[in-house]
Amino acid sequence: MEYTSEQIQVMLLEKITNTIDPADNQVLEQLLAHDPDVRQQWLDLNELVQQAAETGFSITKNEEQNWQEIKPLLQKRSTPRLAILKALSAAAVAAAVFTGIYLFNGQREPVKEARSVPGVTLALENGTIIPIQRGVSKKVAFDGTTMQIDERGLTDQSSPSGSVRWRTVSVPPVLAYKVWLADGSEVWLNAATKLRFPCGLPGPTREVYVEGEAYFKVAKNRLRPFVVHTPQTDVWVTGTQFNVNTYHPDNIQTALVEGSVTTKGAGNRQVHLRPGYKATYTVQKGFQTETFDESDVLSWMKGVYYFHNTPLQELSGVLTRWYGVNVHFENRALQTKTFSGALTKTQSLQLFLENLRLSADVYSSIKDSVLYLR
């Protein structure tokens, strides 16, 4: 059955508000997995939601006030992808934006029996842990260093000095965060990620450590290379944009969006990347390079994951990071069973599990923060 653009747009709107019925959701998941245009529409809608959240959209305002803030965002988009949204009621769009704000604020509909999720933290060298709360602005001054924390994220305002003082930002499952380093470089951190960096980035090289997944937009400075250390590789750049994924310590991926990077592994192994290529490093095979789909690799930054015949074992790691639950396969044969579709942070875990049951005949239950699949 073919669907009109209007029908697809309505399904997208219903999905982001968690009002889509299971049958339509199954259809939309397949479209998101296989139709690039539908996927881009979904990304555009998520971007609209995030931008509206940044304008100050609030449930405490009335519908007309919220609509006046959303309308300019819609009018900026001349592409037909979101044209249908202009014809939808203000209440419907407002509902989508309000639901999406849970994503922007690192929140979501609670999963029954799932454990509570801690917040982002900043660790000092002396072991002090400072909680970071979204919406709370404060300045952290310690040992001659200064960190500004506000609604945008954390900014290192320290000046380089003779001594190296390290800080670690830890992002727990479910949440995401952004860090501005002292040289102006920007780092987006995915859930379950740690970034360790020296205050002020002193020395002839700018060096940081990452565990998890992060997107780097590195400030250009040819005289001071920027080095990202991962558990198995070192990525050398002078100014560029790239994504690093270290969720699997023996499978480190570096995907280059702009500029150039050289990534190095053990035994003098190294590879130079051009934009549009990614390098995957394993101890056994070294580096392997291939092209990548930017909308797939970077979709996490917009709160989306796309799966193309992905084994459930691999998908389970995403569920753990995004929903804060551990996954247990009661039937080990399910680990190799594949799934195609999309997962968004605005989507409740229950809705995703219902879609998994309908599309892959996989049943589930949750107890004591453990998701059982059978």
Side-chain angles (χ1 to χ4, degrees):
M1 176 179 177
E2 293 188 2
Y3 293 86
T4 66
S5 60
E6 288 79 8
Q7 289 173 317
I8 292 173
Q9 290 283 4
V10 170
M11 285 192 289
L12 289 169
L13 189 61
E14 289 177 341
K15 184 175 181 66
I16 206 167
T17 57
N18 282 336
T19 58
I20 191 170
D21 66 61
D24 283 347
N25 187 63
Q26 187 174 2
V27 169
L28 186 56
E29 293 283 354
Q30 292 298 317
L31 290 172
L32 287 169
H34 302 293
D35 189 322
D37 189 61
V38 175
R39 184 185 307 169
Q40 187 60 52
Q41 291 178 56
W42 176 244
L43 291 175
D44 285 345
L45 182 56
N46 275 270
E47 183 180 352
L48 167 67
V49 166
Q50 181 164 329
Q51 289 181 354
E54 292 171 341
T55 68
F57 182 97
S58 171
I59 194 172
T60 61
K61 300 176 184 177
N62 63 41
E63 178 182 307
E64 178 60 27
Q65 286 177 306
N66 280 320
W67 176 244
Q68 292 304 318
E69 292 176 350
I70 297 168
K71 187 164 61 174
L73 299 176
L74 291 169
Q75 292 172 338
K76 288 179 182 178
R77 299 166 184 271
S78 59
T79 63
R81 290 188 179 115
L82 288 181
I84 188 65
L85 287 178
K86 298 179 183 180
L88 295 172
S89 70
V93 178
V97 173
F98 177 66
T99 303
I101 287 176
Y102 282 89
L103 163 62
F104 182 76
N105 289 327
Q107 304 173 36
R108 68 158 47 79
E109 177 183 336
V111 177
K112 185 178 180 181
E113 295 191 55
R115 63 174 178 269
S116 61
V117 178
V120 179
T121 61
L122 171 67
L124 307 183
E125 231 172 358
N126 65 354
T128 300
I129 304 296
I130 301 174
I132 296 176
Q133 298 175 309
R134 184 173 288 281
V136 177
S137 297
K138 59 183 175 182
K139 184 169 289 189
V140 178
F142 179 80
D143 194 22
T145 67
T146 303
M147 301 285 155
Q148 178 64 47
I149 299 172
D150 56 32
E151 66 279 359
R152 301 187 310 157
L154 180 146
T155 303
D156 179 10
Q157 298 180 337
S158 309
S159 299
S161 65
S163 59
V164 179
R165 294 151 297 180
W166 292 89
R167 302 290 181 261
T168 302
V169 173
S170 298
V171 183
V174 178
L175 303 183
Y177 202 63
K178 187 176 180 182
V179 174
W180 280 262
L181 298 175
D183 67 339
S185 296
E186 303 172 48
V187 190
W188 288 258
L189 305 176
N190 200 354
T193 296
K194 290 184 178 181
L195 175 71
R196 182 170 176 258
F197 60 94
C199 300
L201 293 177
T205 56
R206 301 168 287 169
E207 303 193 32
V208 302
Y209 292 79
V210 66
E211 296 178 17
E213 184 167 28
Y215 183 82
F216 289 84
K217 184 178 180 181
V218 177
K220 293 183 179 180
N221 188 335
R222 295 188 178 279
L223 299 179
R224 299 181 65 225
F226 192 100
V227 186
V228 178
H229 299 285
T230 78
Q232 299 287 353
T233 63
D234 298 324
V235 184
W236 287 72
V237 307
T238 54
T240 186
Q241 298 186 41
F242 60 99
N243 192 79
V244 175
N245 185 327
T246 79
Y247 283 131
H248 303 286
D250 192 38
N251 191 300
I252 309 296
Q253 298 183 3
T254 303
L256 181 62
V257 174
E258 180 181 302
S260 64
V261 305
T262 299
T263 179
K264 304 177 181 180
N268 294 320
R269 295 169 169 172
Q270 67 178 48
V271 64
H272 184 75
L273 288 179
R274 292 180 292 140
Y277 283 82
K278 74 173 182 179
T280 300
Y281 178 84
T282 62
V283 174
Q284 295 80 9
K285 297 181 179 180
F287 287 105
Q288 294 180 305
T289 61
E290 60 182 335
T291 59
F292 71 95
D293 186 335
E294 200 172 304
S295 64
D296 275 349
V297 173
L298 304 183
S299 62
W300 67 267
M301 297 176 67
K302 296 182 180 292
V304 186
Y305 266 110
Y306 295 108
F307 304 104
H308 308 279
N309 294 318
T310 303
L312 293 185
Q313 175 65 42
E314 181 179 337
L315 186 150
S316 67
V318 178
L319 297 181
T320 297
R321 293 190 292 271
W322 274 19
Y323 292 101
V325 295
N326 293 317
V327 180
H328 175 75
F329 290 89
E330 293 187 351
N331 178 1
R332 290 191 176 183
L334 288 178
Q335 295 179 353
T336 58
K337 196 179 185 74
T338 61
F339 172 81
S340 294
L343 173 64
T344 70
K345 276 193 172 182
T346 55
Q347 180 179 350
S348 70
L349 178 56
Q350 291 92 335
L351 182 60
F352 175 76
L353 294 176
E354 177 63 14
N355 181 56
L356 190 63
R357 181 185 69 81
L358 294 172
S359 62
D361 197 31
V362 175
Y363 290 79
S364 61
S365 60
I366 298 177
K367 183 178 181 180
D368 297 330
S369 302
V370 179
L371 171 61
Y372 296 89
L373 298 181
R374 57 186 182 278

